[in-house]
Amino acid sequence: MSVKITVDLFKSGKLTPVGCRICGGELVPALSAVKLGDTGNTFTCVGYSQSAGRYVACDGDDFFVSSDGLRFIRLADSHGRAFAAEEVYEGQIRAVMFGGTSCFTHTGTQFVTYSNPVDLYCGVMHCGRLFAIDAQNRYLLRWSASGVKNWEEGMKGAGSLVLDPVRGPASDILSYGGTLVIVRKYGLTVAKMYGSPENFSVYATDTDCDEIYEKTARTVLGRLYFYTASGLKYFDGAVIRGVKHRLSEDICAPVCSEEYGGNYFLCCSKKTGGEAVLVYSPEDGESYFADGGADCMCACGGVRIYRGGEAFKLDGGGEYTLTAEGIDFGTDGAKTLLSLKLTGEGADVCVSNGRQSIVYKRARGVIRPRLRGRSFTVEVRGTAKVRSLTATAEAVNEI
């Protein structure tokens, strides 16, 4: 005796969306990498200042500036690890790019280069001061007297603080909820840095965790997200919590991150091979890949990707792929995949039992593979929304 079983493929098996996402029970096109052109340089860091209207960049040896994020002009030498910021100077916001013992600022019309008295690893502007980690001693937090230029020490001027050794060396600093969060190798340190240095303090918080990857911390919708050896986590100002999403098991070797439009973007490698950008939405917990890796990213009316001397923008309208693996209809035995029903404008569909594959071009409505197997993989490739996708199989009822 046999029984027919129907499953919703958007809810069954292991789904890997690339350039698309599940939204309201439907498959909708999402972001994919669109090439803008060649930059001529492989950058380690790119930042954008909306106020200055300039992209600032570093390739590890030199500083660059651009008005369009594509054609970059060399400005000066760089001498260390790069990071970008913005500061208010004489009532005007200017972009800043740091490179270890050097930095430059750009207002949109003119630039100035400075030599830092200390070698900086990472930093952030907070309450009019630059707070940064010393590149030669990453347990040492430094702050300027004001802005990025004034490092005169004194009771109300520049100074430093030695971090406790428990959570390991620091790799990033972010302004979060009115405080500073120092990202360490094995956790977070929260600091209150208001007013004069005599009022600066470090909180005693229970924020230990497994190893945090550098350049993965971003503030998204009121939470601080970052990637660890065990996956994505967030800090809500009190505790660290883990985040589970559909692509949790596919990610390895994170490289860099960005935030835009309430989403968290992470450049990483896929365990199945290749590089991609993970896009995670905290609002509904959905995630997908935008295929192709990045050396660095920046946000400017969207997310820009820089890799290997090329510039890309994550944009809509590209072709997507959704792969649904391990479709076994809840039974261990062999069964026959009788039909697939797709509602929408149509898409290319490939059905496989692991030994044989059948491809249907511009499929819509009902298709009938009549493919025999224990488990199936269905791949959907297209550019338009798919409202629903169900599969029906006939299995032997052994009871």
Side-chain angles (χ1 to χ4, degrees):
M1 183 177 179
S2 62
V3 60
K4 291 183 179 179
I5 307 168
T6 299
V7 298
D8 183 343
L9 294 189
F10 294 160
K11 298 178 181 179
S12 303
K14 177 188 175 184
L15 294 182
T16 304
V18 178
C20 58
R21 71 193 305 270
I22 304 299
C23 181
E26 298 179 332
L27 178 66
V28 299
L31 300 176
S32 57
V34 178
K35 185 174 178 178
L36 300 175
D38 298 325
T39 63
N41 297 84
T42 299
F43 297 121
T44 59
C45 181
V46 177
Y48 179 73
S49 169
Q50 183 71 44
S51 299
R54 290 294 183 272
Y55 294 83
V56 291
C58 181
D59 66 358
D61 298 311
D62 300 289
F63 289 132
F64 299 83
V65 69
S66 172
S67 60
D68 63 3
L70 188 58
R71 293 175 289 273
F72 285 84
I73 300 171
R74 182 191 177 280
L75 292 183
D77 294 338
S78 171
H79 301 95
R81 187 178 188 268
F83 62 96
E86 284 185 314
E87 76 156 344
V88 178
Y89 181 73
E90 296 183 347
Q92 187 174 15
I93 299 176
R94 58 184 186 177
V96 189
M97 175 64 77
F98 297 87
T101 57
S102 56
C103 76
F104 81 90
T105 65
H106 206 295
T107 63
T109 57
Q110 61 182 354
F111 73 93
V112 180
T113 60
Y114 299 109
S115 293
N116 296 326
V118 289
D119 187 2
L120 304 179
Y121 190 80
C122 59
V124 66
M125 294 301 302
H126 178 74
C127 297
R129 300 174 186 260
L130 174 67
F131 289 84
I133 295 298
D134 190 298
Q136 304 304 314
N137 177 6
R138 286 165 56 194
Y139 293 88
L140 184 63
L141 172 66
R142 294 185 178 274
W143 55 84
S144 66
S146 62
V148 302
K149 182 181 178 181
N150 186 354
W151 289 90
E152 184 177 349
E153 295 188 0
M155 285 295 295
K156 297 184 181 296
S160 61
L161 179 153
V162 178
L163 303 172
D164 69 89
V166 177
R167 295 184 176 114
S171 62
D172 207 350
I173 308 177
L174 296 93
S175 186
Y176 172 73
T179 65
L180 280 183
V181 176
I182 304 165
V183 181
R184 314 280 295 275
K185 188 171 185 178
Y186 298 107
L188 308 174
T189 295
V190 184
K192 181 180 179 181
M193 300 293 187
Y194 299 111
S196 300
E198 61 263 26
N199 298 320
F200 292 177
S201 61
V202 174
Y203 288 23
T205 56
D206 182 18
T207 50
D208 296 334
C209 65
D210 54 338
E211 184 175 355
I212 300 175
Y213 289 97
E214 292 193 16
K215 298 184 179 181
T216 66
R218 294 286 170 177
T219 301
V220 187
L221 297 181
R223 291 174 174 174
L224 179 63
Y225 285 84
F226 53 95
Y227 227 88
T228 74
S230 62
L232 184 62
K233 289 183 169 57
Y234 73 82
F235 175 61
D236 62 4
V239 295
I240 293 174
R241 301 185 189 277
V243 178
K244 288 296 183 183
H245 57 94
R246 68 170 70 254
L247 299 175
S248 294
E249 304 302 319
D250 294 339
I251 294 169
C252 62
V255 174
C256 57
S257 63
E258 188 53 88
E259 181 278 335
Y260 182 77
N263 291 323
Y264 175 79
F265 297 81
L266 179 79
C267 174
C268 59
S269 294
K270 297 183 290 186
K271 291 182 179 178
T272 52
E275 296 180 320
V277 175
L278 167 74
V279 185
Y280 172 74
S281 171
E283 284 191 320
D284 61 8
E286 280 293 339
S287 60
Y288 66 92
F289 285 130
D291 228 359
D295 299 317
C296 56
M297 297 187 283
C298 77
C300 170
V303 174
R304 295 233 179 164
I305 290 175
Y306 294 89
R307 65 170 183 256
E310 297 177 322
F312 300 80
K313 182 178 181 180
L314 292 183
D315 208 348
E319 186 178 69
Y320 65 76
T321 302
L322 175 76
T323 304
E325 301 175 88
I327 308 299
D328 62 7
F329 297 88
T331 69
D332 294 329
K335 70 275 301 179
T336 300
L337 179 58
L338 297 176
S339 64
L340 293 172
K341 183 179 180 180
L342 183 151
T343 61
E345 296 180 28
D348 295 343
V349 177
C350 177
V351 184
S352 174
N353 60 5
R355 301 180 306 277
Q356 180 184 359
S357 297
I358 306 174
V359 177
Y360 299 88
K361 294 290 186 179
R362 300 298 299 167
R364 60 185 300 182
V366 179
I367 57 178
R368 303 185 186 280
R370 299 200 64 84
L371 198 60
R372 187 77 172 162
R374 293 178 178 272
S375 180
F376 303 90
T377 297
V378 177
E379 181 182 275
V380 180
R381 186 182 297 270
T383 58
K385 178 192 294 186
V386 176
R387 293 194 298 271
S388 66
L389 181 62
T390 58
T392 300
E394 184 176 51
V396 176
N397 186 350
E398 298 179 349
I399 299 177

